[in-house]
Amino acid sequence: VVGGESTGKSSLAAALGARLPGVVVSEVLRAWIDQRQGRVPLPHEQAAVMVTHRESEVTALQQADRAGSAWVISDGGPLMTAMYSLQYYNDASLLPFALEWTAQSRAVVWCQDDFPWQPDPQRDGEHARTTSQQILAAIFAEHPLLPLLAVHGSLDERVATVATAVVRASGGPPTPKGPIGLTGRRVRIRRLAATGSSAIVSFSSSQPDGSRS
């Protein structure tokens, strides 16, 4: 679930977790800032934040698999961290990783800014929301094969849009055969090393039958 600040990402992720139902991955960036009394990540810290969120997604996939849950819903995700690096630091180095991971999703739910901006200690203003949405629009235009689903309207309308789309895409109601909600495949991070200035990640993904993709 992606979108600029104050577009309803967290509310939608929580509602989808209850509706589908599924395992929800909370936004790592928000927790990171809260733990540091409001300080945002510096440029060299962005990669570690992104990798930590991806690792949380993988853990959620494993949890969903054990619980027989068909869906994992990620609030923000690596794509948003990469987007913020572009917006605030003019740094596109995280985008290739974020796009590769995001492309594995069943749906990339893009929350639209069709309601008034709401203040929050971690938000910069309506201008920042507009810029984020413009950057996301450019990313999606350059990568048309991403499984994009734009959602509008009230929370109930957005939930209904996503629920209808994911059921249609899966050919019917999801069955608890594995963590197919986020990626449609089991994912394993083989090596993750985060340093003060960079994050090195290698990963592999396997289909439920064990084949690699």
Side-chain angles (χ1 to χ4, degrees):
V1 180
V2 300
E5 63 180 48
S6 190
T7 55
K9 297 187 298 298
S10 297
S11 296
L12 180 57
L16 288 173
R19 170 70 180 272
L20 290 176
V23 179
V24 177
V25 179
S26 299
E27 184 181 17
V28 168
L29 176 60
R30 174 173 285 275
W32 194 99
I33 294 172
D34 282 343
Q35 291 166 3
R36 290 159 179 80
Q37 292 74 51
R39 182 176 75 80
V40 300
L42 298 173
H44 68 274
E45 296 171 315
Q46 291 283 100
V49 172
M50 185 182 77
V51 168
T52 300
H53 195 118
R54 179 57 179 175
E55 194 172 37
S56 296
E57 292 177 342
V58 172
T59 299
L61 285 165
Q62 296 167 344
Q63 177 186 345
D65 197 22
R66 290 192 299 269
S69 178
W71 301 104
V72 169
I73 303 99
S74 183
D75 179 3
L79 183 59
M80 289 305 300
T81 306
M83 190 283 299
Y84 289 135
S85 284
L86 272 168
Q87 180 170 347
Y88 290 101
Y89 301 122
N90 195 30
D91 177 10
S93 63
L94 303 184
L95 196 55
F97 278 124
L99 287 170
E100 186 165 0
W101 293 333
T102 301
Q104 298 171 7
S105 303
R106 177 63 58 86
V108 181
V109 180
W110 183 18
C111 294
Q112 300 302 294
D113 52 348
D114 52 355
F115 52 81
W117 178 86
Q118 299 295 320
D120 179 276
Q122 290 195 20
R123 293 174 181 164
D124 290 336
E126 189 167 1
H127 65 286
R129 179 173 75 167
T130 299
T131 300
S132 296
Q133 294 292 79
Q134 290 171 342
I135 294 172
L136 286 170
I139 291 171
F140 294 141
E142 292 174 5
H143 301 276
L145 296 182
L146 289 173
L148 183 64
L149 176 63
V151 293
H152 307 76
S154 68
L155 178 59
D156 287 344
E157 290 172 324
R158 293 175 180 212
V159 169
T161 296
V162 176
T164 299
V166 296
V167 169
R168 183 185 301 120
S170 61
T175 55
K177 295 181 180 178
I180 62 173
L182 177 71
T183 67
R185 58 194 72 168
R186 293 177 174 85
V187 180
R188 181 175 67 258
I189 293 183
R190 294 191 310 211
R191 184 179 74 248
L192 187 157
T195 69
S197 59
S198 64
I200 304 169
V201 185
S202 64
F203 64 94
S204 65
S205 60
S206 1
Q207 301 292 351
D209 63 1
S211 61
R212 299 173 66 84
S213 62

